[in-house]
Amino acid sequence: MRTSPSFALFYIIVVTVTVQFLAPVEFAKYDRVLVLEGEVWRLVTGVWVHLTWAHLFMNLLGLALVLALFRKNVRPLAVLAIEVANAILRQYSRSP
């Protein structure tokens, strides 16, 4: 059974709003030294911490637009996997 893109968007929104609202920025932001010390969750949460709610809203709006434009060609689980892989690669590739 194939999941709809709106289902994937819903879960991405839930995760990002939860991280933004509940997780203190210091707990979730990317810090290479702390990642190397074992706080590996920062590889993913670092890209989901936004400076402002407006920043978060604009990013989610852009994601919704992309999913709406390509809804016939998008596989939601692939979007989630790409999002997590992108987060990890982008954070880990930063210079120390």
Side-chain angles (χ1 to χ4, degrees):
M1 182 175 177
R2 190 168 171 170
T3 317
S4 73
S6 58
F7 186 73
L9 179 63
F10 171 76
Y11 279 105
I12 291 171
I13 289 172
V14 167
V15 169
T16 55
V17 169
T18 301
V19 169
Q20 181 75 9
F21 190 69
L22 297 178
V25 172
E26 289 302 316
F27 175 78
K29 77 175 186 176
Y30 176 77
D31 184 326
R32 187 180 189 113
V33 173
L34 294 175
V35 169
L36 294 173
E37 291 177 1
E39 296 183 13
V40 293
W41 68 84
R42 293 175 182 272
L43 289 171
V44 176
T45 61
V47 295
W48 288 334
V49 173
H50 292 78
L51 299 175
T52 65
W53 284 96
H55 178 202
L56 174 63
F57 176 73
M58 293 303 288
N59 284 359
L60 291 175
L61 189 62
L63 179 62
L65 179 62
V66 168
L67 288 177
L69 289 172
F70 298 102
R71 69 181 168 270
K72 292 181 181 178
N73 301 324
V74 171
R75 294 190 177 185
L77 294 177
V79 171
L80 291 172
I82 290 168
E83 190 69 24
V84 170
N86 178 46
I88 292 170
L89 292 172
R90 190 169 55 179
Q91 296 294 16
Y92 194 71
S93 66
R94 287 184 175 179
S95 59

